[in-house]
Amino acid sequence: MRGKYLLGVLVILGALAYMVFGGLGQNLVYFLTPSEYLEAQAKYQNRPVRLGGLVKPGTVQYDKDRLELRFVLTDGVAEVPVFHKGTPPGMFKEGQGVVVEGRFQEGVFQGTNLLVKHSEAYRAPEAGWTPEDVRKLIQEAK
């Protein structure tokens, strides 16, 4: 009788372990630079990844009517073309550090989520500041 319970517990633990760890590899999202992607293109084709780097100056093309953003992401060594559907964040600009979540398809990174690196310094408006002072603070942050 004791052996049956032990076997039942082992089966349940094995099923739980499979559910937790079995699908883990399929749900991982890797962070890559353009150089790392180009070294192992086949490995990351059609898999969700986060691609990080700088927006190459002179490559940004944004169609406001179709909400299509195209640019080249670089790490200083390699470059990858990126396509993102949607409105870019307000701080998005050339030379800016970004992380794009999405998939590589046919040599172009199809972004689904665009994150922009921003300044780590935060200065809250002080008491008595006018709206013009706050606008100036915001412009300095960009």
Side-chain angles (χ1 to χ4, degrees):
M1 193 68 160
R2 197 172 188 186
K4 289 181 183 180
Y5 287 123
L6 183 60
L7 181 62
V9 168
L10 288 175
V11 168
I12 290 172
L13 288 176
L16 285 174
Y18 175 75
M19 287 191 300
V20 171
F21 297 110
L24 189 62
Q26 296 171 351
N27 294 321
L28 288 177
V29 178
Y30 296 98
F31 178 82
L32 303 170
T33 63
S35 296
E36 292 170 334
Y37 163 69
L38 292 175
E39 288 175 4
Q41 291 181 26
K43 179 179 178 183
Y44 300 110
Q45 203 68 14
N46 292 318
R47 292 185 70 184
V49 296
R50 289 185 179 140
L51 186 68
L54 298 175
V55 177
K56 185 177 179 182
T59 64
V60 176
Q61 299 172 352
Y62 181 58
D63 185 343
K64 292 180 183 179
D65 297 329
R66 299 173 77 186
L67 297 177
E68 293 180 349
L69 175 65
R70 297 174 190 278
F71 61 94
V72 173
L73 195 65
T74 182
D75 59 2
V77 177
E79 299 177 350
V80 173
V82 176
F83 173 79
H84 175 71
K85 186 103 170 139
T87 306
M91 295 179 69
F92 180 84
K93 61 183 178 184
E94 295 179 349
Q96 181 77 31
V98 297
V99 174
V100 186
E101 236 178 275
R103 297 174 186 264
F104 285 99
Q105 295 175 340
E106 301 172 11
V108 176
F109 191 77
Q110 305 289 327
T112 56
N113 192 15
L114 178 62
L115 306 169
V116 177
K117 184 178 182 330
H118 57 83
S119 171
E120 295 175 6
Y122 172 74
R123 283 182 39 204
E126 297 176 10
W129 280 21
T130 65
E132 187 57 40
D133 292 335
V134 174
R135 277 190 215 99
K136 184 178 177 185
L137 179 66
I138 292 170
Q139 289 300 321
E140 289 174 1
K142 290 184 179 179

